[in-house]
Amino acid sequence: MQDKRRFAVLLCAEDTEYVKKVYGGYLEVFMALLEEEGEVWDVYRVAKGELPADDVVEIYDGFVVTGSRSDAHGEDAWIQDLVALLRRLHQRRRKVLGICFGHQVLCRALGGKTGRAINGWDIGVTCIHPSPSLNKLLIPPHLPVIQCHQDEVWELPPLAEVLARSEKTGIEMFRCGDHIMGIQGHPEYTKDILLHLVDRLLQHKLIQNCHAEAVKESLDAREPDRGVWERLCKGFLKGRLSL
């Protein structure tokens, strides 16, 4: 009998009460996008200091690094520990998919640079424009994805390749070899999760009402292409993509 494939979510944010009530937590949100029959999914609450030990890493077929309210260029102890882990995973050529903060912190770990987004917050449904490497996989030339970030990748790591851009963000996706891929957007999010986060940002005065109105307009104007994102993320994480 073949062993079940095993994946780990490196959770860099705390579950909100809304996400726990509606979805069961962010692990379940990611599993809804990525899980296939016969797999085992574990979670490590990285922001609380939980990381897989070096002797455990080898049991996993791949890792997903999530979004966070923290800055990928920050110096918190848990972020530095995560950067060190990601460097070890890169050295071992383990599959790692980074989402939003995860995209940025992967870039940092591999030698790139991150910081505040030059064009400010990007919140809502944004169309990104894939590179020829993705176009050959029959990825649409305009690919909508939910966004919620005020930081971005400034400079790619050595030997990395840009996979997608947008009007606001120059590096929406990147890859390094066939084992590292970062996505600035949130393919795992639903519209209601985004609206919940926008309400939280407004309550904490991190965005203005005009931002919230723009988000609602973008949600009315277009749908994120979840089917394509599911195919892309699963294909990368499980070795079915040839970039």
Side-chain angles (χ1 to χ4, degrees):
M1 184 176 178
Q2 191 175 19
D3 290 340
K4 291 183 177 182
R5 302 191 76 186
R6 197 174 196 109
F7 298 89
V9 171
L10 304 180
L11 185 61
C12 303
E14 294 187 17
D15 292 324
T16 66
E17 289 302 318
Y18 176 83
V19 170
K20 282 193 289 187
K21 179 180 178 180
V22 176
Y23 295 94
Y26 279 118
L27 172 62
E28 285 74 13
V29 171
F30 276 96
M31 288 173 64
L33 179 75
L34 299 170
E35 184 187 25
E36 294 179 317
E37 187 176 355
E39 295 174 349
V40 176
W41 284 77
D42 299 324
V43 62
Y44 292 87
R45 299 185 182 279
V46 179
K48 293 185 176 180
E50 295 180 12
L51 286 171
D54 276 354
D55 59 347
V56 174
V57 163
E58 298 301 325
I59 73 171
Y60 291 107
D61 294 281
F63 299 83
V64 180
V65 191
T66 75
S68 175
R69 63 185 299 176
S70 299
D71 298 327
H73 51 274
E75 297 301 331
D76 303 50
W78 71 267
I79 295 176
Q80 295 187 53
D81 290 344
L82 175 59
V83 166
L85 171 64
L86 294 175
R87 287 173 178 157
R88 295 195 297 274
L89 295 178
H90 174 50
Q91 290 167 356
R92 298 181 188 188
R93 296 188 66 84
R94 310 304 293 176
K95 287 274 188 184
V96 185
L97 174 64
I99 303 295
C100 197
F101 168 91
H103 160 85
Q104 298 159 15
V105 80
L106 260 178
C107 173
R108 172 185 175 178
L110 273 55
K113 294 181 180 178
T114 69
R116 282 287 185 262
I118 295 169
N119 294 313
W121 278 99
D122 190 1
I123 315 175
V125 179
T126 298
C127 273
I128 71 167
H129 310 297
S131 70
S133 294
L134 288 184
N135 287 336
K136 72 182 184 182
L137 300 175
L138 303 180
I139 302 299
H142 304 288
L143 183 57
V145 66
I146 290 176
Q147 302 267 13
C148 187
H149 67 97
Q150 65 170 338
D151 294 341
E152 67 183 0
V153 171
W154 284 353
E155 184 179 309
L156 283 178
L159 305 179
E161 174 191 357
V162 176
L163 291 178
R165 296 176 170 84
S166 70
E167 299 303 320
K168 291 193 76 169
T169 305
I171 304 173
E172 285 281 3
M173 293 178 63
F174 80 94
R175 72 163 177 137
C176 192
D178 62 358
H179 61 292
I180 298 287
M181 187 163 77
I183 299 172
Q184 180 59 73
H186 283 279
E188 82 284 9
Y189 275 6
T190 57
K191 287 184 174 183
D192 65 294
I193 290 177
L194 179 63
L195 289 171
H196 161 69
L197 291 177
V198 166
D199 286 343
R200 284 166 56 90
L201 291 171
L202 273 173
Q203 289 170 12
H204 290 89
K205 297 182 171 23
L206 295 173
I207 62 172
Q208 298 176 348
N209 284 320
C210 60
H211 287 119
E213 291 303 317
V215 170
K216 292 171 184 175
E217 288 177 10
S218 77
L219 291 177
D220 290 338
R222 60 178 70 95
E223 290 284 335
D225 200 335
R226 189 175 175 91
V228 172
W229 284 110
E230 182 176 328
R231 175 164 63 89
L232 185 58
C233 293
K234 283 181 177 179
F236 164 75
L237 199 59
K238 299 167 191 191
R240 299 196 292 260
L241 282 190
S242 179
L243 295 174

